[in-house]
Amino acid sequence: SFPHLSSNSELSADFSGRRSTRFVSKMHFGRPKSASSSSRHSSVAEEALLQAVRFSGDDARFDSILLAFEPKLCGTDDYTFLLRELGNRGEWSMAMRCFDFAVARERRRNDQGKLASSMISILGRLGKVDLAKRVFDDAVSRGYGNTVYAYSALISAYAKSGHCDEAIRVFETMKDLSLKPNLVTYN
């Protein structure tokens, strides 16, 4: 059903053998999911979220909430929680404002990259693939987006939106830059 991905294609080798998603799925079948990633945020982040969703659509009020909670929020984990939860509620515009706010205040490139990867994933899940690409391009140009996680998030965003050729192009670009795809990338 995919003639351009015949068994002789260069890409097929990346999706066979030990790295195939079927093998990965079997490796992790029945393994309990780690709760640590979902519980890293603080209770202050939950309070900020409750305040923020009360004022959906009021950008000035949302900005003032972010400023008020800034000294109490515990860095990247809290901001990632806010991004994810705003995305879960379909509040992509508020999530983008929160992302811009958080990235501007974060000084560590690694944490800026985590925020960018999260934002790209959220936008991809919400079907905002053009906006996800802009976040990706901006992160790369600013020096914190050239990571396996950012590329994997963009690949996923394209794939979820049915842009398979673009997803494959990003995958190939990632490999050309010597970024080694991981299990998330392959899945």
Side-chain angles (χ1 to χ4, degrees):
S1 62
F2 296 102
H4 62 284
L5 293 179
S6 68
S7 61
N8 296 335
S9 91
E10 242 179 82
L11 186 60
S12 67
D14 289 313
F15 291 92
S16 62
R18 286 188 48 87
R19 292 221 180 261
S20 76
T21 56
R22 184 172 21 174
F23 176 79
V24 171
S25 296
K26 286 180 180 178
M27 252 179 33
H28 297 284
F29 182 75
R31 183 182 290 181
K33 295 203 181 229
S34 169
S36 64
S37 63
S38 63
S39 62
R40 287 186 165 169
H41 66 274
S42 70
S43 60
V44 174
E46 292 178 15
E47 179 60 30
L49 176 67
L50 291 174
Q51 295 266 341
V53 296
R54 285 184 29 216
F55 300 105
S56 176
D58 186 343
D59 290 346
R61 188 72 165 232
F62 181 63
D63 291 346
S64 68
I65 290 167
L66 288 173
L67 283 169
F69 278 93
E70 179 186 14
K72 303 172 199 165
L73 291 171
C74 298
T76 305
D77 290 334
D78 280 354
Y79 286 112
T80 301
F81 166 78
L82 289 171
L83 296 176
R84 184 181 66 241
E85 290 303 315
L86 290 168
N88 287 345
R89 289 166 172 75
E91 298 282 359
W92 65 269
S93 180
M94 288 175 73
M96 279 298 300
R97 291 183 82 79
C98 183
F99 168 73
D100 290 338
F101 182 89
V103 166
R105 280 148 181 81
E106 182 57 62
R107 298 292 168 233
R108 294 172 295 225
R109 293 282 185 217
N110 189 40
D111 286 342
Q112 288 174 323
K114 288 178 186 178
L115 291 165
S117 297
S118 293
M119 194 69 240
I120 294 164
S121 292
I122 290 160
L123 292 168
R125 189 169 26 91
L126 295 173
K128 305 284 183 189
V129 71
D130 292 337
L131 193 51
K133 174 72 164 109
R134 278 192 285 181
V135 169
F136 173 83
D137 288 342
D138 190 52
V140 169
S141 72
R142 293 177 184 251
Y144 57 85
N146 200 18
T147 68
V148 171
Y149 306 106
Y151 276 85
S152 296
L154 186 60
I155 290 167
S156 179
Y158 277 134
K160 287 177 181 174
S161 296
H163 297 90
C164 295
D165 290 337
E166 287 90 347
I168 291 169
R169 184 183 48 74
V170 172
F171 178 76
E172 292 297 338
T173 301
M174 177 182 168
K175 290 186 343 181
D176 291 345
L177 293 171
S178 299
L179 292 171
K180 187 176 179 184
N182 61 19
L183 295 178
V184 172
T185 311
Y186 286 107
N187 281 328

